[in-house]
């Protein structure tokens, strides 16, 4: 009876599902495809590399040591702790799916210590950098990226949230935006008058706020504004007229773009604008009060005069 129970409950549970098959099913899973395109592409890239490395290995045969060695290998080839943490999160989500589908009994990634990333000081765009970015956002591709930069910098909306945003959710009469936020939680975001001044001339009744090729155009605007961008990231774009500005776009003399720097900029100035009202800013930004209090109240170089100049960055009449 004990053997029969084991065969029924466990042996059959660990069916002969290969990693190739499991990854394919995961990428078609409705809960996975409900994520943003950016999220899906990042997971696809990571899982395809993982799948290639282990090919036809059975999902049920993965152990803690295999996962640990995979992450350590990423470190050995120069991967940052942030990259390792993202790799861990991707594999953890994938193996959770495998457990639910009964491809394996437990999640081997859960047994590996989650990589910790020490957060540094918040870094923001200078007002001159904001001016330059907005200038090129106005000019590139007929201004299709202007809403993206205005919402990212002056409303601190996350890139993936902007990519999900429809013009029908932006109410310029009431100065409110309904965001399909992180974790599929909706939140209202107040539109500052500066953001409104940028959005009004280009606003539509409905339709996607971000263009289909926003990732490529995002790279182009940043490169034109003086940030370092690899030339291959500009492939397939029409660069006519920008040859001089882009000639050294991959130069090490150019500053690197900091992840989420537009959002950091927006939150930093908004909390200053609201006289350190961390509760209101936390609701506005979709962060916890603790995060706002810990990271955004004393950013180097930010005072009342700089804040006033920031919100004075307006489109030329």
């Amino acid at each position: 009876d004990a053997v029969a129970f084991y065969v029924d409950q466990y042996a059959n549970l660990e069916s002969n599902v290969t990693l190739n098959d499991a990854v394919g099913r995961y990428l078609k899973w409705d809960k996975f495809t409900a994520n943003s395109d950016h999220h899906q592409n990042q997971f696809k890239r990571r899982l395809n590399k993982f799948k290639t490395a282990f090919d036809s290995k059975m999902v049920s045969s993965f152990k803690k040591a295999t996962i640990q060695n995979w992450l350590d290998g990423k470190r050995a080839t120069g991967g940052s702790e942030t990259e390792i943490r993202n790799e861990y999160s991707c594999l953890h989500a994938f193996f959770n799916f495998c457990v639910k589908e009964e491809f394996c009994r437990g999640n081997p990634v859960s047994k590996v210590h989650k990589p910790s990333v020490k957060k540094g000081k918040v870094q923001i765009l200078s007002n001159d950098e904001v001016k330059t970015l907005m200038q090129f956002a106005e000019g590139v591709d007929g201004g299709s990226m202007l809403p993206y930069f205005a919402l990212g910098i002056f409303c601190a909306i996350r890139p993936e949230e902007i990519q999900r945003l429809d013009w029908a959710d932006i109410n310029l009469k009431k100065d409110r935006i309904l965001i399909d936020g992180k974790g599929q939680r909706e939140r209202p975001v107040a539109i500052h008058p500066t953001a409104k001044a940028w959005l009004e001339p280009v606003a539509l009744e409905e339709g996607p706020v971000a263009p289909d090729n926003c990732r490529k155009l995002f790279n182009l605007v940043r490169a034109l504004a003086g940030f370092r961008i690899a030339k291959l990231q500009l492939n397939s774009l029409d660069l006519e007229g920008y040859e001089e500005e882009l000639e050294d776009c991959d130069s090490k003399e150019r500053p690197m773009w900091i992840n989420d720097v537009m959002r950091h900029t927006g939150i930093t100035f908004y909390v200053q604008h609201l006289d350190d009202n961390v509760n209101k800013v936390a609701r506005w930004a979709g962060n916890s009060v603790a995060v706002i209090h810990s990271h955004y109240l004393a950013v180097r170089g930010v005072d009342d005069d700089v804040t006033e100049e920031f919100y004075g960055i307006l489109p030329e009449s």
Side-chain angles (χ1 to χ4, degrees):
D1 289 343
V3 172
F5 177 81
Y6 174 83
V7 170
D8 182 54
Q9 299 294 321
Y10 292 98
N12 288 337
L13 176 106
E14 297 189 7
S15 54
N16 293 328
V17 178
T18 65
L19 181 61
N20 271 329
D21 187 20
V23 168
R25 296 192 203 183
Y26 178 72
L27 297 181
K28 294 178 181 177
W29 185 34
D30 57 354
K31 286 191 176 180
F32 174 75
T33 56
N35 290 298
S36 69
D37 290 342
H38 178 67
H39 176 97
Q40 291 183 58
N41 289 336
Q42 290 297 313
F43 269 55
K44 285 177 184 177
R45 177 176 62 82
R46 298 179 195 283
L47 288 174
N48 282 333
K49 287 184 179 180
F50 188 72
K51 179 179 69 173
T52 300
F54 295 100
D55 196 19
S56 57
K57 186 178 176 71
M58 300 299 168
V59 173
S60 58
S61 66
F62 279 89
K63 305 296 181 185
K64 171 185 175 181
T66 311
I67 304 300
Q68 186 68 66
N69 290 339
W70 175 254
L71 298 178
D72 289 343
K74 295 288 182 181
R75 286 192 181 90
T77 55
S80 67
E81 285 307 305
T82 298
E83 174 68 16
I84 306 304
R85 186 185 178 95
N86 290 339
E87 191 78 22
Y88 176 98
S89 298
C90 173
L91 293 177
H92 193 277
F94 166 69
F95 276 101
N96 268 347
F97 165 80
C98 292
V99 171
K100 290 178 181 178
E101 293 297 306
E102 300 186 342
F103 301 158
C104 55
R105 274 188 289 171
N107 187 336
V109 186
S110 298
K111 299 177 182 178
V112 177
H113 290 297
K114 187 175 183 178
S116 60
V117 179
K118 183 180 179 180
K119 289 190 175 182
K121 292 183 178 180
V122 165
Q123 297 184 54
I124 65 173
L125 295 164
S126 70
N127 285 342
D128 285 340
E129 288 172 334
V130 172
K131 292 174 186 176
T132 306
L133 284 164
M134 297 308 295
Q135 174 191 339
F136 282 111
E138 275 189 295
V140 166
D141 194 46
S144 67
M145 286 295 290
L146 183 59
Y148 188 99
F149 280 90
L151 292 167
I153 294 172
F154 297 109
C155 294
I157 300 176
R158 298 178 178 93
E160 59 272 20
E161 293 172 345
I162 300 174
Q163 290 171 43
R164 292 195 294 266
L165 191 60
D166 192 282
W167 281 107
D169 297 320
I170 299 179
N171 190 332
L172 291 173
K173 291 182 179 179
K174 292 192 174 182
D175 299 334
R176 289 288 185 275
I177 305 172
L178 183 62
I179 297 294
D180 178 11
K182 191 174 182 180
Q184 298 183 326
R185 293 188 297 270
E186 291 185 337
R187 76 175 189 278
V189 173
I191 303 174
H192 188 277
T194 299
K196 184 174 181 176
W198 286 102
L199 294 171
E200 275 188 323
V202 296
L204 301 174
E205 291 293 327
E206 59 183 6
V209 170
D212 290 338
N213 59 340
C214 71
R215 295 303 302 174
K216 289 281 188 181
L217 291 172
F218 182 55
N219 292 334
L220 176 56
V221 172
R222 291 185 297 161
L224 291 170
F227 291 92
R228 190 194 312 175
I229 298 292
K231 291 185 177 180
L232 61 85
Q233 290 185 287
L234 304 177
N235 287 346
S236 77
L237 288 173
D238 179 9
L239 306 179
E240 186 177 354
Y242 298 124
E243 293 86 355
E244 186 175 344
E245 291 92 337
L246 299 175
E247 184 178 0
D248 67 338
C249 67
D250 55 358
S251 169
K252 292 184 179 179
E253 299 299 317
R254 289 185 171 217
M256 291 289 291
W257 182 264
I258 299 166
N259 190 40
D260 282 339
V261 70
M262 295 197 301
R263 177 170 166 80
H264 295 324
T265 302
I267 296 174
T268 296
F269 283 114
Y270 200 60
V271 75
Q272 181 84 8
H273 173 67
L274 293 183
D275 295 325
D276 299 348
N277 187 335
V278 294
N279 291 288
K280 190 170 183 178
V281 174
R283 292 193 299 271
W284 178 80
N287 272 127
S288 69
V289 171
V291 166
I292 302 299
H293 193 277
S294 299
H295 299 290
Y296 295 101
L297 288 184
V299 176
R300 184 178 297 174
V302 175
D303 57 24
D304 289 341
D305 291 338
V306 177
T307 301
E308 184 178 354
E309 181 187 356
F310 171 76
Y311 285 115
I313 300 173
L314 298 166
E316 294 182 4
S317 57

